[in-house]
């Protein structure tokens, strides 16, 4: 038999809530029943809790998994920045500086066309598809990742702010960031990286530009737009985009190196034009 006592399990009075009001969940871990305190919504930082309450142990596991995925994404993208010498041999780029992905806060707003619960259910589905896309990308399954990111965007189109997003993208003007119920610019930026790996440079450029339109401060979208322009041989435009990304993150070594490569290619192109 297993017994639990809420005070022994860590129940404490917080604010106006008595110790008896603290929630717990009992789970089977390694063939043993374990009772753990449920975290309050504000305790889970930038990690969204799903329908089931989250414990501190589960939060640590999710944070660890998220960190591993982000490191793997950066590692996979390093080979996108390459410069070849006159013999066609690649010049190895320096290791990129790791930077945590900044997740946008989900807007806690109830729209007339949907209840808060309906919005949260859609957001949870979008996050699930996005997470699967990240895993596919880190496994080198870029086409599968594109499919999953697209499914995430299709699911996000069910959110009541979809018309605002469509209107913003149709304007094709980079201005102020658009408040969104889910940060679609993150998904677009990730899908842009997939298209770059697959050699679909125009699609990569489109996603990178759309990510920039939705949130110009999200540097990864601007950066991948610059990489796509470089891959298409549009070095002057690539320099402009990469310089903008560097302005946002001046210490980012990956952006700095990509900008240097674009400048070298542009100078080489100018010399060839002068010689002909």
């Amino acid at each position: 038999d297993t017994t639990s006592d809420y005070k022994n399990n860590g129940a404490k009075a917080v604010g106006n809530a008595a110790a008896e009001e603290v929630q717990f969940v009992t789970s089977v871990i390694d063939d043993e029943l374990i009772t753990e305190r449920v975290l309050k919504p504000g305790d889970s930082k930038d990690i969204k809790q799903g329908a089931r309450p989250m414990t501190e142990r589960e939060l640590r596991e999710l944070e660890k998994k998220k960190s591993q995925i982000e490191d793997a994404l950066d590692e996979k993208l390093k080979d996108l920045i390459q410069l070849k010498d006159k013999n066609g041999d690649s010049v190895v780029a320096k290791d990129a500086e790791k930077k945590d992905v900044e997740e946008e806060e989900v807007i806690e707003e109830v729209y007339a066309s949907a209840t808060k619960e309906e919005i949260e259910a859609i957001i949870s589905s979008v996050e699930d598809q996005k997470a699967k896309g990240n895993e596919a990308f880190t496994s080198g399954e870029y086409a599968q990742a594109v499919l999953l990111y697209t499914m995430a965007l299709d699911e996000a189109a069910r959110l009541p702010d979809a018309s605002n997003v469509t209107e913003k993208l149709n304007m094709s003007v980079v201005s102020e960031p658009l408040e969104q119920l889910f940060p679609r610019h993150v998904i677009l930026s990730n899908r842009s990286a997939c298209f770059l790996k697959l050699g679909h440079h125009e699609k990569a450029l489109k996603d990178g530009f759309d990510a920039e339109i939705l949130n110009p401060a999200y540097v990864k979208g601007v950066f991948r737009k610059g990489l796509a322009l470089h891959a298409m041989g549009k070095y002057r435009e690539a320099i402009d985009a990469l310089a903008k990304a560097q302005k946002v993150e001046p210490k980012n070594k990956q952006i700095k190196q990509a900008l240097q490569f674009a400048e070298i290619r542009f100078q080489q192109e100018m010399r060839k034009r002068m010689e002909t």
Side-chain angles (χ1 to χ4, degrees):
D1 294 337
T2 300
T3 59
S4 297
D5 182 271
Y6 66 91
K7 289 186 178 180
N8 290 337
N9 288 324
K12 295 180 181 179
V14 179
N16 296 323
E20 292 85 348
E21 296 178 79
V22 176
Q23 292 183 325
F24 290 86
V25 63
T26 300
S27 309
V28 178
I29 307 296
D30 296 329
D31 297 325
E32 292 185 11
L33 283 176
I34 297 179
T35 300
E36 302 170 281
R37 182 176 66 86
V38 171
L39 297 175
K40 302 188 300 297
D43 293 337
S44 57
K45 301 177 183 179
D46 60 344
I47 295 182
K48 176 177 172 59
Q49 295 195 38
R52 181 185 178 282
M54 184 182 296
T55 66
E56 185 175 353
R57 172 184 55 79
E58 292 170 329
L59 176 62
R60 288 197 301 268
E61 292 176 354
L62 281 175
E63 288 177 333
K64 181 180 179 181
K65 183 176 181 181
K66 179 183 174 184
S67 177
Q68 290 173 341
I69 289 175
E70 289 169 357
D71 288 345
L73 275 167
D74 285 342
E75 185 68 23
K76 286 281 185 178
L77 285 174
K78 283 198 303 184
D79 63 353
L80 290 177
I81 306 173
Q82 292 186 357
L83 180 66
K84 294 184 178 181
D85 58 23
K86 62 182 181 180
N87 297 321
D89 297 324
S90 296
V91 178
V92 179
K94 296 180 180 178
D95 290 339
E97 184 180 74
K98 297 291 188 296
K99 186 180 186 302
D100 293 335
V101 175
E102 295 180 1
E103 296 291 345
E104 301 294 326
E105 294 183 357
V106 176
I107 304 167
E108 296 293 341
E109 181 178 353
V110 179
Y111 283 72
S113 60
T115 65
K116 182 178 179 181
E117 289 72 22
E118 290 171 337
I119 292 173
E120 288 179 344
I122 296 173
I123 289 173
S124 178
S125 178
V126 175
E127 183 63 52
D128 182 57
Q129 295 296 340
K130 172 176 169 284
K132 290 178 180 178
N134 289 347
E135 292 177 1
F137 183 93
T138 55
S139 299
E141 300 173 0
Y142 307 120
Q144 179 67 13
V146 166
L147 175 62
L148 290 164
Y149 289 139
T150 301
M151 290 173 64
L153 291 169
D154 289 343
E155 187 70 9
R158 295 176 54 211
L159 290 168
D161 67 342
S163 59
N164 295 338
V165 173
T166 301
E167 182 180 357
K168 179 77 170 176
L169 292 176
N170 287 340
M171 291 173 64
S172 297
V173 176
V174 178
S175 55
E176 295 297 318
L178 177 69
E179 288 189 347
Q180 306 167 73
L181 289 167
F182 190 91
R184 296 166 177 81
H185 51 274
V186 176
I187 304 175
L188 286 164
S189 176
N190 288 355
R191 193 172 70 174
S192 177
C194 294
F195 283 136
L196 282 167
K197 299 293 287 186
L198 292 168
H200 300 165
H201 302 139
E202 291 186 359
K203 292 181 179 180
L205 175 60
K206 176 67 165 56
D207 276 356
F209 184 46
D210 283 351
E212 183 185 16
I213 291 173
L214 293 179
N215 190 343
Y218 187 66
V219 71
K220 287 184 179 292
V222 183
F223 177 45
R224 285 160 193 170
K225 170 188 170 183
L227 291 179
L229 288 166
H230 186 283
M232 295 168 68
K234 298 182 177 181
Y235 304 121
R236 178 65 268 176
E237 295 175 57
I239 290 171
D240 292 340
L242 294 169
K244 184 183 296 184
Q246 188 181 47
K247 187 176 181 180
V248 178
E249 288 190 7
K251 295 183 180 181
N252 189 309
K253 295 180 180 178
Q254 197 174 16
I255 295 174
K256 181 180 179 181
Q257 182 128 42
L259 178 57
Q260 291 174 341
F261 287 175
E263 290 172 340
I264 291 172
R265 288 302 192 196
F266 181 69
Q267 291 170 2
Q268 291 174 341
E269 187 178 69
M270 290 298 98
R271 282 198 295 268
K272 287 181 179 179
R273 290 182 181 181
M274 292 178 64
E275 292 172 356
T276 57

